[in-house]
Amino acid sequence: MTIKVRIITPHVTPRPQKIEEVAGLNEFLNVAFSHVNLTIGPPSIQGMFDDGFATPGIVARCIEAERDGVNAVLIDCMGDPGLDAAREAVSIPVLGPGETTMHVAAMLGHKFAVVTVLDQVRPLLEKHAKIYGLQEKLASVRAVDVAVNHIGDDPDGLLARLLEQSKKAVMEDHADCIVLGCTGFLGVSDRLQAALHQDGLMVPVLNPLRTTASLAVALAGLGLRHSQRAYARADISALVGYGALFSK
Amino acid sequence: MTIKVRIITPHVTPRPQKIEEVAGLNEFLNVAFSHVNLTIGPPSIQGMFDDGFATPGIVARCIEAERDGVNAVLIDCMGDPGLDAAREAVSIPVLGPGETTMHVAAMLGHKFAVVTVLDQVRPLLEKHAKIYGLQEKLASVRAVDVAVNHIGDDPDGLLARLLEQSKKAVMEDHADCIVLGCTGFLGVSDRLQAALHQDGLMVPVLNPLRTTASLAVALAGLGLRHSQRAYARADISALVGYGALFSK
Amino acid sequence: MTIKVRIITPHVTPRPQKIEEVAGLNEFLNVAFSHVNLTIGPPSIQGMFDDGFATPGIVARCIEAERDGVNAVLIDCMGDPGLDAAREAVSIPVLGPGETTMHVAAMLGHKFAVVTVLDQVRPLLEKHAKIYGLQEKLASVRAVDVAVNHIGDDPDGLLARLLEQSKKAVMEDHADCIVLGCTGFLGVSDRLQAALHQDGLMVPVLNPLRTTASLAVALAGLGLRHSQRAYARADISALVGYGALFSK
Amino acid sequence: MTIKVRIITPHVTPRPQKIEEVAGLNEFLNVAFSHVNLTIGPPSIQGMFDDGFATPGIVARCIEAERDGVNAVLIDCMGDPGLDAAREAVSIPVLGPGETTMHVAAMLGHKFAVVTVLDQVRPLLEKHAKIYGLQEKLASVRAVDVAVNHIGDDPDGLLARLLEQSKKAVMEDHADCIVLGCTGFLGVSDRLQAALHQDGLMVPVLNPLRTTASLAVALAGLGLRHSQRAYARADISALVGYGALFSK
Amino acid sequence: MTIKVRIITPHVTPRPQKIEEVAGLNEFLNVAFSHVNLTIGPPSIQGMFDDGFATPGIVARCIEAERDGVNAVLIDCMGDPGLDAAREAVSIPVLGPGETTMHVAAMLGHKFAVVTVLDQVRPLLEKHAKIYGLQEKLASVRAVDVAVNHIGDDPDGLLARLLEQSKKAVMEDHADCIVLGCTGFLGVSDRLQAALHQDGLMVPVLNPLRTTASLAVALAGLGLRHSQRAYARADISALVGYGALFSK
Amino acid sequence: MTIKVRIITPHVTPRPQKIEEVAGLNEFLNVAFSHVNLTIGPPSIQGMFDDGFATPGIVARCIEAERDGVNAVLIDCMGDPGLDAAREAVSIPVLGPGETTMHVAAMLGHKFAVVTVLDQVRPLLEKHAKIYGLQEKLASVRAVDVAVNHIGDDPDGLLARLLEQSKKAVMEDHADCIVLGCTGFLGVSDRLQAALHQDGLMVPVLNPLRTTASLAVALAGLGLRHSQRAYARADISALVGYGALFSK
């Protein structure tokens, strides 16, 4: 049984390297990945406005995935946009890297920190930790002060900034696990963990895309889906003005 | 100085009686109300799917209101859809009756209960109470088991059901204030409070539309608006696929 | 309908400028203010001892206000002395600036800070935030280290100290709203907000007297009062040794 | 070294049996008890109004006790009236049975219940549990529905009601310790514990007067007093209108 | 890459069916299971005494597993005995079904309930939920009142009791996911979920052994282990009196 | 009535000075102390591994104490190892200095800090504060960075480090009480309190052994023991492989 997982990048900017980031999971999981992004929505997710205008497109992509026979969907953003709306629209598991990676990090130590792009997304991540019930396990949210569309500009500089904030999270905030706080931080989690270990800070670094993709396979393989009692099925046909989105 | 407040009903179904519900506030506030609903979105708000598809239309209506010189906006639904997204889009106060009425209720006693339409919206209201910081003041969320589009069918029956659940909230859940949990419960708050008092339960009943409209006037009159540090200004021009919504 | 609001300064030191601080509210509220202070009690409120010896006088002033036909009472101190006792003694709303301003601040952003006079009142304000259910919304309590009776000595120096602590509250404690933490800080809230904005910190500054007075008008206008179930009516006639206080 | 402990009954009604209730402690503690009540104040403590009008008299009695060479003071009411005010006025430990007994109960099991006189004092006890940090250890507050001045009317009936509520606290609320919730419940704690054990509910019953008196001896014997940093010393001489109270 | 997972049953009673319960996971995970129980310890885990006397044997089995080249260890009991001690003794992931299944359940709905064997283990599970940070996601712990060594006596009766308590958890406690609360409940999770769905309660039922085994594979496959900063390496050679345990 | 209290040092290293530390309590308590350490277990308690291998020996010593006619037992370590297991094994009160001293500290001010040996025990103490319900009263856990077996090397140096961390706890973390965080800190509590007072920080310093021994006398004297409903009686006879431990 091969589990089909679709990664939905929740904005209109193409992000072709996502499949590559999770490719290694095939070594221990029977999984096949596919990847799409949105046709309508914001260019990136940097707040609740972006979340709001991404949600219709995300939901449409989830419905399409279910129609395509996909077994689980992963919304590719630490802000978990559209998560609840999508769960009301489909019968397959819909996972967000924010929720998933924070729960896994909570199992690996006493407190974790999230190291993300900009300080302006801190309140959103803190709010989600509170909703997910993980507030007391969250040591801090720290930012490297690099905008999403500049993540790839200077890989070594980015690593240095991630290392600096991760060390502060451990030494000052008492974190003992680090969660990479943006799914756009590609190819850097192993290097960051190695750098922390070299500096004597023996903490795990969680890669949100890989962690969430693994859990998506596990949930689908176990035959689990989100509680329909928690997420009552929505009536798509009653919507006014979104015909074009669903006619595709 | 007359404060201009616009009530935005966050779905496509017309609700003409809203202005009437708040008309009495002119006796002690210098306020002028206007009212609109959405052109695209769901027929009502019954979950996070509806919230997701209502948000683009709500934000567009808020931007329109600011352009019209309105001083404060009230999103007419206890589920507070689109609240954060709208606050990132405009410079005037944007109020939700869920957040506002729960905070005012928290000042009137030790614990309040919310009596709403259907049990399926309970998790959403509980989640909001947690985000707003009011979890410990919320005694319970109870439902009368009447769908939104049947609220007006049997006014006396509705009052009886509201009274029954309110009494249970007081006697079993230790609530000492009652928040009407749907802005579609029109013309019933005073009757419910009188019925409770007649039965010896001396608790206030909060009307969400009137309470929120009063606070909207207060905030606008005091020159207050939502923190721009909490709600960073969004870039509307970067959206793809929503041109029709904003060209109106 | 003009709402009559009485400001009760809860100590024996005259504070004549209070009416002036709230005068501007008449522009959007139909309100008439009156003002008294105590005849017995402490010279200021700096702890629970002062609170304890102020309470009998506060309650007597609230009973007098109700007898005078006042519609709502405001106890003029961020420490909210005598609040619960007074609510058990009268049938009109009794508001405290601590409770009221913290709830309104909670609606304007993710977290607020209170900037007050002396560090010794911090535990009291933190305790109140916990009781009011707002603990998680309170980023910090900071003090300018100026005693109450020296607030008026150096207005520019005070503004500079308020600005310094407010900036630290925003930058270090992640506050995105500022609550002025003493009702003796007169005429400074607008200047503080302007100074913060000039320094690029776009956060609202809440004036406790004006905010609480507005809410007092709103509650009285809406016909709301504190829950009699939360605040059972006390029997004044059974008191021994307080005859002089009530015979006035 | 004999520790001198004074019991201050915080109202004007004489309660002569208090010394008798704690007499047995001399078997294992070197302690000498004295007992007073108030000359001004309410006839009993049934709410925050009573608390407010009791506090000046309580503080005066604490100052008198310190002047008399007493080593520790016990305020004889589960509502802990005047506790913080008194701690700002004297240098000897001031204990309240609410705070003390709840902390000791918290050490004897996972959750405790408080069984008290009337449901109207429940919010006060819940508020105190929250302030003392014991909210999560408090299973419930239950009431026998007997007013303070009728406690002595029917001892067997009272025991039956205490037993009924204690059993419900264990079976329905998951309490595994019972705190007697009024210091006026005299001579009944051992009988209640025996009755619960006879019914197979092997839970301890805490007598608030005895528990608090023991802790008063322990604190005084250990040379501990309340933190002066938490309770800054108040200036009694600045009070206006309370001369008669302190001239005694 | 095949992930080797060892199931350690933390008591001295053989439980041969454990491998069978997880056999189906091979369909989507590359995993090989092995299974052992203890040579010294209690006959089952029913409290903290059992936990205390099981821990030395569990730790010894974990050290043995690491020496055998196992990639991850699963301690086969919802009470998670010896979890922290074992993590200080080995460098491979050590998972407990209590912690793991509760975190996964937290992702599938708003609140989950744990349905377990006896009410006497409720406090332990509630304590663990608090430590794991999941207190607010735990709707309730309910028991079927069947001792561990009688689980297999009457499979249909057990299913009926699990169904009864699960329904109450959903209807009365607002749970929307069910966690089977004992790893001795073998072969019943799918039947319980089917029975709930047939009764119209569309909630997922989590099988703790399968869920935890899947996560063990995921963590080991991702190269993750518990934070060494959270779990400092213990010095086994300094122990006195446990030579026989480690000489095996 | 003389209360017999046994101090059980929970490891195999002799600590002869313990009786001396509590000798002064005889001045106000009728108490007789005895003292033992373990024959099997770790050389000290520095984590959960040590806790796990100490627990069997602790339980055996508690059973022996009860057989010897002891009235209460004190487990001599701030980490409270074996506390719950022991309470399931005997009928006399079993006290831990971590739980007891934190509860007493909670009564002496608003927030307390624990100043301990090494930062690696911080998570354990924080976890215990959470379980005991005292999380919100704990300002911080700070460490002097001295290993347990070096505490006696340099008494003046140790005092200086304790003073430094205690001052930071007061000034930076808002603690107003200090709990000595290791029962191996002998003969230093009075000197530390005097040094803090000399520096103007009027906070109490709690000696964990003396505080816990006093409470042990109080509980035993009051006839209280831990709830048997919270701690169900364990069946020692069913254990496999621990015969030698109990045959002594």
Side-chain angles (χ1 to χ4, degrees), chain F residues 143-191:
Chain F
V144 292
D145 203 23
V146 173
V148 171
N149 54 346
H150 289 290
I151 284 180
D153 292 2
D154 175 11
D156 289 343
L158 177 65
L159 178 61
R161 282 164 174 263
L162 287 167
L163 183 60
E164 181 195 5
Q165 292 303 318
S166 297
K167 280 170 145 179
K168 286 189 177 173
V170 173
M171 300 309 292
E172 297 176 16
D173 310 334
H174 297 318
D176 46 41
C177 298
I178 299 294
V179 171
L180 273 190
C182 178
T183 57
F185 289 144
L186 298 170
V188 73
S189 58
D190 294 342
R191 292 175 68 203

Side-chain angles (χ1 to χ4, degrees), chain C residues 30-46:
Chain C
N30 299 345
V31 58
F33 292 105
S34 54
H35 178 221
V36 295
N37 53 269
L38 304 190
T39 52
I40 74 165
S44 69
I45 304 286
Q46 306 199 53

Side-chain angles (χ1 to χ4, degrees), chain C residues 162-193:
Chain C
L162 286 168
L163 182 60
E164 181 195 4
Q165 293 303 319
S166 298
K167 281 170 146 179
K168 286 188 176 171
V170 173
M171 300 308 292
E172 297 175 15
D173 310 333
H174 296 320
D176 45 40
C177 298
I178 300 295
V179 171
L180 273 190
C182 178
T183 57
F185 290 144
L186 298 170
V188 74
S189 59
D190 293 342
R191 291 175 68 204
L192 177 60
Q193 183 174 292

Side-chain angles (χ1 to χ4, degrees), chain A residues 1 25 27-30 103 106-108 110 132-133 170 176 201-202 204 210 214 221-222 226-230, chain E residues 1 25 27-30 103 106-108 110 133 170 176 201-202 204 210 214 221-222 226-230:
Chain A
M1 175 173 60
L25 303 184
E27 289 190 30
F28 60 98
L29 303 172
N30 299 344
H103 273 291
M107 295 188 228
L108 293 179
H110 303 304
Y132 302 152
V170 173
D176 45 41
L201 299 182
M202 306 306 286
R210 288 182 201 156
S214 301
L222 288 164
H226 290 90
S227 171
Q228 289 165 271
R229 197 162 174 90
Chain E
M1 177 171 58
L25 303 184
E27 289 190 29
F28 61 96
L29 302 172
N30 300 343
H103 273 292
M107 296 187 227
L108 293 180
H110 302 304
V170 173
D176 45 40
L201 299 183
M202 307 306 286
R210 289 183 200 154
S214 301
L222 288 163
H226 291 89
S227 171
Q228 288 165 272
R229 198 165 174 87

Side-chain angles (χ1 to χ4, degrees), chain A residues 188-200:
Chain A
V188 74
S189 59
D190 294 341
R191 291 174 69 204
L192 176 60
Q193 183 176 291
L196 283 162
H197 285 202
Q198 202 166 354
D199 287 355

Side-chain angles (χ1 to χ4, degrees), chain F residues 5-36:
Chain F
V5 172
R6 181 157 298 169
I7 299 172
I8 298 175
T9 294
H11 50 66
V12 299
T13 315
R15 296 283 181 216
Q17 320 93 312
K18 298 289 181 173
I19 293 279
E20 189 183 331
E21 187 79 4
V22 296
L25 303 184
N26 286 301
E27 290 190 29
F28 60 97
L29 303 173
N30 299 344
V31 59
F33 292 104
S34 55
H35 179 223
V36 295

